[in-house]
Amino acid sequence: MQHSPPITVSSLDTARLYRLLDREAYRHQPGADALRDELDRATTVAPADMPPGVVTMNSTVRFIDDSNGATFELKLVYPETSGVSGTVSVLAPIGSALLGLSVGQAIPWQVPGGRQITVRVLDVLMQPEAMGDYVS
């Protein structure tokens, strides 16, 4: 992605997500390449060193689609637990865009239909690492 901001991902999330992407069921999903690209460019830190304003797996985040002003509050989850109201899979375009962003950061992202949006993080309402949960 052009003009992508720096992102931070925990070593635990990185390891889990690479394992997920290596599984046959997910290897060829439409969002797999975009997620792998994000993981490849991320700065990796230990879960205990994760700054509290960063979107990690199982974080609840409030963000805005700058292209239309719509705001959303969603929990970033693994594909197996997505589909529940209020969640977004990390393999969904918005999910992989949010992973690793900090409050205030924005990223341009391609969504289905060929259109590009800009997603901006307004707040990380709940982050497991900030609560001392380093294994979620």
Side-chain angles (χ1 to χ4, degrees):
M1 307 258 49
Q2 55 182 328
H3 308 297
S4 296
I7 60 172
T8 305
V9 180
S10 82
S11 56
L12 181 62
D13 287 348
T14 299
R16 287 179 176 171
L17 290 168
Y18 276 127
R19 277 195 306 272
L20 177 105
L21 291 170
D22 286 341
R23 290 173 39 200
E24 186 62 36
Y26 299 109
R27 188 175 302 144
H28 302 292
Q29 292 285 320
D33 289 340
L35 177 57
R36 187 175 298 280
D37 289 346
E38 288 299 277
L39 292 172
D40 288 348
R41 74 179 192 86
T43 298
T44 304
V45 300
D49 296 331
M50 181 60 68
V54 175
V55 180
T56 63
M57 292 306 299
N58 296 306
S59 289
T60 301
V61 59
R62 193 166 56 85
F63 62 96
I64 188 167
D65 174 350
D66 282 337
S67 65
N68 63 16
T71 60
F72 304 89
E73 184 178 312
L74 296 170
K75 182 177 181 179
L76 182 63
V77 298
Y78 293 94
E80 301 87 18
T81 56
S82 66
V84 175
S85 179
T87 66
V88 62
S89 169
V90 70
L91 281 175
I94 295 296
S96 52
L98 290 170
L99 180 68
L101 289 179
S102 299
V103 173
Q105 283 185 314
I107 189 169
W109 205 257
Q110 186 100 12
V111 294
R115 149 180 108 85
Q116 184 168 302
I117 64 170
T118 299
V119 176
R120 185 167 32 97
V121 175
L122 300 173
D123 197 9
V124 177
L125 304 169
M126 191 287 297
Q127 180 206 71
E129 293 84 355
M131 299 172 57
D133 181 356
Y134 305 124
V135 295
S136 281

